[in-house]
Amino acid sequence: LVGGIAIMQDDDSEAAEILLTSRPSIHTVLFAETPVSGEYRTRGFQVLAGVPVTATECTEYGMRLKIDLEAAYFSARLANERQRLVSLIQEGERVCVMFAGVGPFAIALAEKAGIVIAGDINPGAVLLMEENIRLNRRHNVIPMLADACHLGGFLTAGSFDRIIMNLPMSPVPFFETAVSLVRPGGTIHLYAMQENEGEYREMIEAYPCTITGERQVRSYSAAQHHAVYDITRTGE
Ligand code: SAM
C-alpha cells in the first residue's frame, strides 16, 4: 500500500476488485509490470481496478507527499530510516541529498536542518519535490534538477555537515563527489545493495573516511539487502 494505491504481485483483476471494495482508502489497484529500472529508478504499471492513475498522496510521520509511482521513485519502506536520520541530525546542519527523488529525505531532515540542497536527475521527481516542499511549508529546501556528478562543480567543497546518497544500485561513481562536499568531521550516509556485510568497506576506506556504522535497512531480494553505511570524513 502506498497512499491510496495498492500494488499487487499478480495480474489478477478479480482479486483487485475485491481489494478495492475491502478498504475505502484505496482508490486504485496496480500490477507492477516491470521491476524498478533505468536511471530514474521507476517501474511500469497496469491498472487492475479503480481510478486509472499512478499518482496518489501519502503521509509519513506527519509529512505529506504527492507521489506518482510511474513518474518517480518512492518507497514507503524507507520511512523508519528517514526517522533514524532525523534523530541523528543536529539543529542548523547544512545537508545535501544527492538523489532526492520526490523529496522524502530532504523534507524530513529540513525539520531540523538549516538548509537542505536536494538534487535529482529526473525532472518528474523534481516537479513533485517542489510540490511537496510547498505542501509541507519547508522554506529551507532548495530543489535542483541536477546530475549528482556535477554537484562538485558549483557547490562549495567541504561546506556540508551531512550528505545523503540513496542510489543503492550504483553509489560508487558518486562517492568522490560526496567526500569532496562534506566537511572534515561531517557525515555521509551511503546506501548500497549488497549480498554480504562489508562489501563497500574497502572502497570507502580508500578515501579519508571512517565507517562508524553499517546496518541493514530492508531486505531487497532473496540474496540482496539494502544497507546503509554511516561514514565520518576524516582529515583537514
Ligand atoms: N531519495 C529518494 C527516496 O528515497 O525516495 C529517491 C531514491 S531513488 C533510489 C534514486 C533517485 O536517484 C531517483 O529519483 C533517480 O532519478 C535519481 N538519480 C539517478 N541517477 C542520478 C544522478 N546521476 N544524479 C542525480 N539523481 C540521480
Side-chain angles (χ1 to χ4, degrees):
L1 278 179
V2 193
I5 294 180
I7 304 169
M8 287 185 58
Q9 303 297 326
D10 302 308
D11 182 0
D12 183 341
S13 307
E14 248 176 71
E17 286 295 343
I18 295 168
L19 193 57
L20 187 68
T21 47
S22 71
R23 286 201 197 199
S25 62
I26 298 176
H27 56 73
T28 303
V29 183
L30 300 177
F31 167 63
E33 286 184 311
T34 68
V36 174
S37 61
E39 194 172 40
Y40 296 170
R41 309 306 301 151
T42 48
R43 322 164 71 163
F45 292 96
Q46 182 193 330
V47 178
L48 291 179
V51 189
V53 293
T54 53
T56 189
E57 189 177 314
C58 64
T59 306
E60 179 181 302
Y61 289 96
M63 169 172 63
R64 286 171 66 195
L65 292 170
K66 288 197 176 184
I67 59 178
D68 184 333
L69 296 170
E70 214 159 50
Y73 176 93
F74 177 76
S75 173
R77 292 177 68 200
L78 296 175
N80 290 342
E81 174 61 13
R82 289 189 259 276
Q83 287 310 298
R84 185 182 77 90
L85 298 198
V86 171
S87 74
L88 291 178
I89 188 174
Q90 304 294 310
E91 292 286 337
E93 278 192 18
R94 291 175 59 86
V95 177
C96 176
V97 184
M98 295 174 80
F99 311 100
V102 304
F105 277 97
I107 292 166
L109 292 175
E111 185 188 325
K112 285 163 90 179
I115 189 161
V116 182
I117 304 291
D120 201 283
I121 203 168
N122 175 359
V126 177
L127 283 174
L128 285 160
M129 174 160 49
E130 286 173 342
E131 276 198 59
N132 290 330
I133 291 168
R134 274 195 293 276
L135 202 58
N136 293 280
R137 296 187 180 82
R138 296 289 193 233
H139 304 292
N140 56 345
V141 181
I142 301 180
M144 209 178 265
L145 178 61
D147 185 332
C149 72
H150 297 313
L151 294 179
F154 60 92
L155 296 174
T156 308
S159 63
F160 290 91
D161 299 298
R162 196 174 296 270
I163 312 274
I164 320 299
M165 298 182 70
N166 185 23
L167 187 64
M169 289 299 184
S170 51
V172 178
F174 304 96
F175 190 59
E176 191 173 339
T177 298
V179 174
S180 76
L181 290 175
V182 75
R183 67 168 171 80
T187 305
I188 300 171
H189 301 283
L190 177 144
Y191 295 85
M193 288 304 173
Q194 60 182 16
E195 282 184 26
N196 303 302
E197 258 183 48
E199 279 179 28
Y200 286 79
R201 280 187 171 259
E202 200 179 324
M203 185 285 293
I204 293 165
E205 287 170 350
Y207 291 87
C209 288
T210 303
I211 297 169
T212 56
E214 177 189 344
R215 60 175 61 221
Q216 187 169 328
V217 178
R218 60 177 183 138
S219 61
Y220 181 70
S221 64
Q224 286 188 310
H225 64 270
H226 193 161
V228 56
Y229 291 84
D230 296 341
I231 301 159
T232 300
R233 163 85 152 92
T234 55
E236 291 293 299

